[in-house]
Amino acid sequence: MYDKKTLNSQKLDLRVGVFICRCGGNISDIVDIDKLKSSIDADVVEEFENLCSLNGRKIIRDNIINKELDRVVIASCSPITHEKTFQDYIQPLNPYLMDMANLREQCSWVHGDMDKATDKAITLVNASIEKVKQSQAVDPILCQTPESAAVIGGGISGISAALSLAKQGVKTYLIEKKPSIGGNMVKIGKVFSPVKLAEECGMCLLNPIMNETVWHENIEILTNTKVLSTERRAGNFSILLESNPRYVDEEKCISCGKCIEECPVEVPNRWDDGLSMRKAIYKPFSQSYPDAYTIDMENCEKCGKCMKKCPMGAIYLKGEKEIVPLNVGAVILATGHKTFDPNLRPEYGYNRYADVITQSELGRIMGVNGPTKGKLKMLSKDRVPRRVVMIQCVGSRDEKPDGHKYCSKVCCMVALKNANIIKHKYPDTDVIICYTDMRTPGMYEKYYKHGQENGIRLLRGRPGEVNKKGDSLVVRVEDTLQKKFTEIETDMVVLSTAIEPSQGSEEISKIMNVGITEDMFIKETHPKIKPVTTDVKGAYVCGTAQGPKDITDSIMQAHAAASKVAEIMNDGLEIEPFVAEIDDEKCNLCEDCISICKYKAMSIKDEMIYIDPMSCSGCGKCLTVCKPRAINIHGNIDEKIFATISGMLKGKKEGEKRILVFLDQVGYTAADNIGVNRVDYPESIYIIKVHSVNRVMPKHIIYALKNGADGVFIGEYPGDLMYQEVENKMNQIREEIKDHGMNPERLQFSNVYIPYFRGLANKFKEFDAKIGSMDA
Amino acid sequence: MDTIKIDDNPLELAEKIVEDIKFSKEKGLLKCVQCGMCTSMCPGARNSEYNPRAMIEKVLEGDESVISDKTIWNCFYCYTCHSICPVGNSACEVNQILRQIAISKGIANEEVSPFAGFVDLMMDIGLGGIPDNFHQDLIRDIGKEWEEKNMNLNKIREELGLKPLEMPKNSIKEIRVLLKKTGLDKRVNKLRE
């Protein structure tokens, strides 16, 4: 089956035109152009000094039209340099009916022997001719995404993302599980900016943004609502939402608050960290939106007293969950965080001693709308604490069970902020921060110094335990700089608890099948260069759902996510058409393709495999696991590779060595770099560019070796998502080569890196020498 | 003034400890950031000059003087540091390894020889027991009843329907052979030099 490969093309007498570029001597100084021209079998063979110039375009176009060419080969520089140019120059032909033979970067710039370089050039052009004969006219797939987006999570990140999208004309649904938008920022009390060295009211900053969101006609806010399921189809998300009843009609309610006078049920107020009480009918906080009361049915006794009292008749006690369908073009995940449960560190006595609290609770106590109306008081006695000790890294930088290995990034700033606020209002209260490292990067350092000037004391040591001794609490810590075991007597202990993924983040990652990090945060595609995209195409992440960060960073990431959404909304999505397609007749629904695809392009819809062209990278890995061979890559890729191989092996002389090298975009760029830097390597090296080395099948490799290739070299960039798969595949293919009675050492697999071009050139030399020393 | 010499490898001692068969936290020691949590909870540190964090610091600096530092003998082996270390180190195990190094160097006889009696008992009666040299301390700490319990142990056991605490002669012989094979007797004799 490998010996004879009938190459099928739709039209047998395709007219091919070859256009050779001298490149101002860059090519013609080494490659004998006349010999090249006379050795090529094509309908038109033209040469030109600078093919990429506008005059070159005229020559190409005139020939295509006058000589009725079906296919074009450009024999010039690297496609990486000029492929887009020549795709444009061959209009009216379809851009995919052209191929470039790389005579400059991979021939004239790396070889010095004119005869050998010319022979190689002939072979490269032949390979391109064979390849274009197999090309098909394909059009880019246009994905029409609806100009709408769902933002999941109504905290500061979600609000910022929604607002940014709405202002760009995108219809946005802001989905929030709780009865009001606002998120964690509502509870903080004060925020600060290190540049001003001042604390500002957080609500006063958040409220105008919330109002803007409420009033924006492109935003629909859905509170008491959570996501049940999402389904993705080429730039479309079909989402099912579960909307829970509020039991108060937000249209009728005028927020007069008469209902709460009547309600007999009192429960701890979660919006106040449980430090105050609220009724079963309540309003989360004064500025909450929707501006209406809500009933918490878990605690409501359904006595009906509030209904009787309500002057607007807004209250109803019978309500059903509603399932709401939603269809949008993109999703932004802004599901936020929660804080570490201090009960998991019993040694700090959080649940034993009333005066051991968290930074979040301290924020409520210091907040003017909090349980003490902004007065700092001990929870056990009605007096101002004489001393407050803050313990950093509670649950962060901690590899013990339930702890988190990461640093939560904001706790040092939060501790300094609350310490400063205490120092401003109660200068007589001593504040000691027990730290391991103070992490106040950038401008925050100024605020750190400002805190020290205010008399905040810092003790370097991580406390092991909080105890009670007589009338006060005792924090046990080693002052590591003094090398002294120390017991600090104090009235109050504040734990700086870690930021961890919220329950909502965990739920949504499961519902949408979005990848998560080892710490359970939603994982971005690449932490450096793709910081807001996720591994689900069309879904983006921002804020603390993605990792610990402060408000500023959350807002920045929200805007970044919104602009990524705007990219696909405004410009439409043009996708390279070389994606996988499935033959439902052959498919047996074994789902092997689903499990192998790292791009999550495959899913099952209506008893059929659905391949999402937006997600598919066209790497071809699914082909290798599909037993019934039901998958094919659009655009005749398989045949093109066979044709290129046979072209590369055409006219091989007695005693000549030919090594075929398959490189992806990264490897090919590295190979071009060898030429750009004029480093040489043997003429036996023939490079074939593939979209992904996964597209090179065992059958291609065997076919090459059977038909005269002396060796096959495959290079891949280790950062590629599918790298591991390729490595596993190579060993299998070596076995297969053995079965065909050939030396498995004729196949080489290697890592490639763009800057490491000299290394690649050396590998070519070594492989060439190795092949040369083999017998048969 | 301290000089960190261009060619010294301060991690030699730490690496030796990490490779020791006794050490179960090979990923922890090098990650220590000197936070002092171990010292904050250490009963040895509370009642003496012993400081587990400072001991680890010396190990990481390659300061061999830590081996002859007498304070390392104040560790109680309570394993609190082992269980609370945020980076998964175990000061307690490092301590044990340092002590073994000290014993091998023959600079710990004073600290260890009182415990030789445990081995003698094992050799004599094939059972673990508390050597005579500790009896007075225990009577002082626990009280007279401890001594009385010892005097009347077999009687008490009889009342409880238990047999006397005695190993069969053959078993004692076997235990002796085993202990000699492991070289424990020689090690103990070395301590008494």
Side-chain angles (χ1 to χ4, degrees):
Chain A
M1 75 176 267
Y2 295 106
D3 304 317
K4 280 226 309 267
K5 177 81 197 156
T6 48
L7 298 171
N8 50 342
S9 53
Q10 314 90 322
K11 191 175 153 192
L12 288 169
D13 51 346
L14 287 171
R15 295 178 53 77
V16 181
V18 176
F19 299 89
I20 302 163
C21 179
R22 304 174 74 93
C23 197
N26 271 301
I27 295 171
S28 54
D29 288 354
I30 301 288
V31 174
D32 179 345
I33 301 290
D34 292 334
K35 189 182 170 188
L36 173 60
K37 275 176 77 171
S38 58
S39 314
I40 295 170
D41 176 19
D43 299 278
V44 171
V45 180
E46 288 278 357
E47 60 165 303
F48 195 67
E49 194 61 31
N50 280 89
L51 211 48
C52 56
S53 65
L54 289 177
N55 290 335
R57 173 164 75 177
K58 189 171 170 356
I59 288 179
I60 296 167
R61 271 199 192 155
D62 290 353
N63 268 293
I64 291 172
I65 293 162
N66 301 334
K67 305 272 171 68
E68 294 179 341
L69 296 178
D70 305 297
R71 300 285 187 272
V72 172
V73 169
I74 306 285
S76 60
C77 53
S78 169
I80 288 174
T81 319
H82 270 313
E83 190 173 44
K84 289 276 177 283
T85 311
F86 291 117
Q87 281 184 339
D88 175 46
Y89 284 11
I90 66 159
Q91 280 180 23
L93 281 183
N94 178 287
Y96 297 101
L97 299 179
M98 181 276 301
D99 191 60
M100 291 177 74
N102 190 341
L103 302 192
R104 192 180 68 173
E105 281 84 344
Q106 295 177 9
C107 188
S108 66
W109 276 356
V110 288
H111 306 313
D113 182 317
M114 200 148 178
D115 288 339
K116 284 183 178 172
T118 306
D119 284 348
K120 179 172 169 177
I122 295 165
T123 302
L124 292 175
V125 174
N126 278 334
S128 282
I129 293 173
E130 295 305 319
K131 184 178 167 187
V132 284
K133 283 184 183 166
Q134 294 300 319
S135 298
Q136 297 167 339
V138 282
D139 295 314
I141 301 168
L142 274 169
C143 274
Q144 281 305 320
T145 51
E147 291 223 352
S148 60
V151 177
I152 300 162
I156 184 64
S157 302
I159 290 171
S160 304
L163 205 50
S164 171
L165 283 172
K167 287 179 177 177
Q168 296 178 77
V170 177
K171 174 79 184 147
T172 307
Y173 301 89
L174 183 57
I175 298 155
E176 172 57 54
K177 202 155 56 165
K178 295 196 177 83
S180 169
I181 57 169
N184 285 299
M185 198 174 160
V186 169
K187 295 198 307 188
I188 286 179
K190 287 218 157 116
V191 295
F192 77 96
S193 57
V195 186
K196 289 191 204 167
L197 296 184
E199 299 79 29
E200 304 171 78
C201 160
M203 203 64 222
C204 306
L205 296 175
L206 176 66
N207 203 47
I209 305 174
M210 270 172 70
N211 281 341
E212 213 181 338
T213 310
V214 169
W215 291 111
H216 204 294
E217 55 181 12
N218 282 341
I219 298 178
E220 195 171 317
I221 298 176
L222 303 156
T223 48
N224 280 335
T225 301
K226 62 178 189 185
V227 177
L228 282 183
S229 71
T230 61
E231 211 180 58
R232 184 174 42 113
R233 226 178 227 288
N236 258 290
F237 286 89
S238 307
I239 304 177
L240 284 183
L241 303 172
E242 179 187 273
S243 168
N244 287 293
R246 193 179 188 89
Y247 304 105
V248 178
D249 185 336
E250 48 190 90
E251 299 297 316
K252 292 181 185 167
C253 172
I254 52 166
S255 259
C256 67
K258 289 198 168 99
C259 50
I260 54 172
E261 295 162 17
E262 296 301 313
C263 180
V265 183
E266 279 215 334
V267 286
N269 183 359
R270 213 190 31 175
W271 292 84
D272 225 351
D273 275 348
L275 296 172
S276 62
M277 300 302 273
R278 65 152 166 84
K279 298 292 179 69
I281 187 164
Y282 73 107
K283 199 171 148 182
F285 53 101
S286 343
Q287 306 79 8
S288 58
Y289 180 84
D291 186 12
Y293 277 72
T294 179
I295 296 178
D296 135 33
M297 265 303 155
E298 268 177 45
N299 293 301
C300 170
E301 294 170 356
K302 295 196 171 130
C303 65
K305 285 180 185 159
C306 57
M307 287 177 82
K308 290 195 190 83
K309 191 75 183 177
C310 178
M312 305 304 293
I315 302 172
Y316 57 99
L317 293 176
K318 281 203 175 68
E320 291 296 321
K321 281 180 185 169
E322 229 180 300
I323 305 291
V324 184
L326 193 64
N327 193 24
V328 292
V331 175
I332 291 181
L333 303 172
T335 39
H337 69 276
K338 64 180 195 293
T339 48
F340 179 79
D341 174 8
N343 288 312
L344 295 170
R345 294 286 174 267
E347 58 270 30
Y348 290 147
Y350 175 78
N351 56 358
R352 279 201 307 277
Y353 312 122
D355 293 316
V356 178
I357 59 172
T358 63
Q359 288 288 4
S360 173
E361 287 166 349
L362 179 61
R364 293 315 307 133
I365 291 169
M366 301 298 291
V368 286
N369 55 356
T372 59
K373 306 281 176 285
K375 292 199 166 45
L376 176 63
K377 277 185 194 161
M378 292 165 65
L379 292 181
S380 66
K381 308 180 180 66
D382 190 18
R383 67 174 168 82
V384 176
R386 290 161 294 178
R387 177 177 291 143
V388 175
V389 174
M390 295 182 177
I391 300 179
Q392 296 307 97
C393 306
V394 179
S396 309
R397 307 182 66 193
D398 183 349
E399 299 185 19
K400 289 197 291 288
D402 321 309
H404 302 294
K405 288 184 183 175
Y406 53 83
C407 157
S408 293
K409 231 170 157 178
V410 300
C411 331
C412 283
M413 274 63 81
V414 170
L416 284 167
K417 175 190 74 182
N418 285 331
N420 267 327
I421 295 171
I422 292 173
K423 277 295 186 190
H424 291 320
K425 289 186 170 179
Y426 306 92
D428 294 341
T429 296
D430 185 30
V431 184
I432 301 177
I433 300 176
C434 296
Y435 70 101
T436 305
D437 297 293
M438 283 310 276
R439 293 185 166 172
T440 51
M443 300 303 156
Y444 283 123
E445 186 73 12
K446 294 185 184 179
Y447 193 79
Y448 175 17
K449 297 296 130 195
H450 168 65
Q452 285 176 288
E453 284 170 357
N454 283 333
I456 296 170
R457 294 204 290 155
L458 294 136
L459 186 149
R460 194 194 174 281
R462 193 163 178 168
E465 161 174 79
V466 176
N467 262 328
K468 204 153 176 88
K469 233 183 191 174
D471 197 29
S472 60
L473 295 168
V474 168
V475 178
R476 287 212 174 113
V477 60
E478 184 203 357
D479 182 337
T480 58
L481 302 177
Q482 303 262 11
K483 301 196 175 184
K484 267 196 201 134
F485 170 85
T486 311
E487 288 189 340
I488 315 170
E489 294 178 349
T490 183
D491 283 336
M492 205 176 220
V493 174
V494 185
L495 309 176
S496 296
T497 48
I499 281 183
E500 53 187 33
S502 67
Q503 203 191 333
S505 296
E506 285 183 39
E507 283 170 12
I508 201 73
S509 65
K510 284 196 185 83
I511 289 170
M512 291 190 66
N513 189 25
V514 177
I516 50 175
T517 65
E518 63 168 333
D519 302 305
M520 314 291 278
F521 287 100
I522 291 168
K523 190 172 186 290
E524 68 284 52
T525 315
H526 191 286
K528 277 258 173 300
I529 55 168
K530 290 184 177 172
V532 294
T533 56
T534 69
D535 60 5
V536 171
K537 264 276 168 34
Y540 303 89
V541 63
C542 63
T544 49
Q546 183 262 322
K549 57 174 66 72
D550 66 4
I551 294 170
T552 315
D553 285 352
S554 293
I555 294 172
M556 283 200 279
Q557 206 179 14
H559 292 161
S563 83
K564 292 312 275 186
V565 171
E567 279 175 21
I568 55 177
M569 303 274 158
N570 295 341
D571 209 15
L573 270 179
E574 227 182 63
I575 302 163
E576 275 238 316
F578 307 115
V579 293
E581 51 193 10
I582 194 135
D583 181 345
D584 295 323
E585 297 293 310
K586 289 184 185 168
C587 171
N588 63 359
L589 287 176
C590 70
E591 298 186 30
D592 286 353
C593 55
I594 296 182
S595 51
I596 197 114
C597 179
K598 298 266 192 306
Y599 299 95
K600 298 188 178 174
M602 314 278 200
S603 55
I604 288 205
K605 302 231 162 101
D606 317 323
E607 298 293 303
M608 280 193 235
I609 294 281
Y610 166 73
I611 302 174
D612 179 22
M614 260 183 81
S615 308
C616 177
S617 76
C619 78
K621 186 66 206 176
C622 49
L623 275 73
T624 61
V625 297
C626 182
K627 290 186 189 75
R629 308 203 168 190
I631 308 174
N632 158 45
I633 300 267
H634 192 70
N636 227 7
I637 301 290
D638 243 18
E639 285 73 14
K640 277 201 245 175
I641 293 176
F642 274 122
T644 312
I645 294 169
S646 78
M648 287 283 192
L649 298 172
K650 205 169 163 180
K652 190 183 163 194
K653 300 185 194 76
E654 191 64 40
E656 192 196 345
K657 215 187 315 166
R658 287 193 192 177
I659 293 164
L660 302 190
V661 178
F662 293 94
L663 296 173
D664 61 7
Q665 183 78 16
V666 168
Y668 199 87
T669 308
D672 276 0
N673 253 330
I674 303 175
V676 169
N677 289 282
R678 304 296 197 283
V679 177
D680 64 308
Y681 55 80
E683 291 85 356
S684 60
I685 299 291
Y686 291 85
I687 297 171
I688 301 174
K689 182 170 183 258
V690 283
H691 174 86
S692 152
V693 295
N694 270 305
R695 287 183 177 171
V696 183
M697 303 280 168
K699 61 184 178 190
H700 294 128
I701 295 167
I702 307 278
Y703 173 78
L705 293 171
K706 285 250 170 189
N707 287 283
D710 298 282
V712 172
F713 182 107
I714 292 186
E716 174 153 61
Y717 168 60
D720 189 284
L721 261 183
M722 287 293 193
Y723 179 78
Q724 203 56 48
E725 303 292 343
V726 175
E727 214 172 12
N728 300 341
K729 195 172 77 173
M730 287 305 136
N731 298 326
Q732 292 168 10
I733 302 176
R734 283 205 181 89
E735 287 303 309
E736 231 172 296
I737 294 172
K738 241 192 264 183
D739 295 344
H740 281 271
M742 295 180 285
N743 187 345
E745 291 302 308
R746 292 188 181 277
L747 172 66
Q748 172 146 345
F749 175 61
S750 171
N751 295 347
V752 289
Y753 305 89
I754 287 176
Y756 190 53
F757 57 89
R758 275 175 219 280
L760 186 61
N762 285 335
K763 281 177 182 168
F764 288 164
K765 283 177 198 157
E766 284 161 17
F767 190 51
D768 172 78
K770 184 174 154 183
I771 295 288
S773 67
M774 282 183 197
D775 3 305
Chain B
M1 185 189 80
D2 225 358
T3 307
I4 298 177
K5 293 236 166 42
I6 194 79
D7 54 357
D8 67 0
N9 173 12
L11 288 179
E12 259 172 51
L13 179 58
E15 279 157 8
K16 184 174 170 182
I17 287 168
V18 165
E19 279 156 28
D20 194 287
I21 194 160
K22 208 177 184 66
F23 199 59
S24 66
K25 304 267 196 174
E26 36 291 286
K27 288 196 163 63
L29 176 56
L30 297 179
K31 290 198 273 185
C32 171
V33 292
Q34 303 291 314
C35 76
M37 205 174 198
C38 47
T39 306
S40 78
M41 295 295 288
C42 174
R46 197 186 312 177
N47 295 294
S48 78
E49 289 300 297
Y50 173 56
N51 183 325
R53 181 202 51 79
M55 173 189 74
I56 297 289
E57 185 178 24
K58 280 186 175 156
V59 166
L60 292 172
E61 284 168 0
D63 181 351
E64 302 256 349
S65 74
V66 69
I67 297 162
S68 51
D69 180 350
K70 292 295 180 203
T71 67
I72 67 169
W73 295 93
N74 295 337
C75 166
F76 286 67
Y77 286 14
C78 74
Y79 275 83
T80 304
C81 59
H82 178 104
S83 61
I84 65 166
C85 175
V87 295
N89 185 23
S90 172
C92 181
E93 282 178 355
V94 172
N95 179 295
Q96 289 166 45
I97 294 159
L98 290 173
R99 286 185 188 187
Q100 289 297 344
I101 297 171
I103 293 168
S104 313
K105 287 187 165 195
I107 56 171
N109 295 4
E110 193 189 327
E111 284 81 12
V112 191
S113 55
F115 298 90
F118 283 98
V119 181
D120 297 338
L121 273 171
M122 200 50 106
M123 289 274 198
D124 289 345
I125 60 170
L127 286 172
I130 294 172
D132 294 350
N133 53 336
F134 294 112
H135 283 202
Q136 286 313 312
D137 289 346
L138 283 160
I139 294 165
R140 189 193 61 215
D141 290 350
I142 299 168
K144 271 277 181 219
E145 54 268 53
W146 187 80
E147 195 180 19
E148 276 164 26
K149 184 226 31 166
N150 268 11
M151 308 271 257
N152 305 309
L153 188 61
N154 281 343
K155 206 167 135 199
I156 297 168
R157 289 181 66 88
E158 207 177 313
E159 280 170 23
L160 292 169
L162 298 167
K163 289 189 175 128
L165 261 183
E166 264 172 35
M167 280 288 234
K169 289 270 185 300
N170 273 347
S171 306
I172 296 178
K173 260 188 196 156
E174 279 177 10
I175 288 169
R176 236 171 254 165
V177 170
L178 282 171
L179 293 180
K180 282 183 173 161
K181 284 253 184 234
T182 61
L184 186 65
D185 56 339
K186 284 199 191 94
R187 200 166 162 83
V188 170
N189 289 337
K190 239 181 116 169
L191 293 178
R192 289 191 167 122
E193 280 165 11

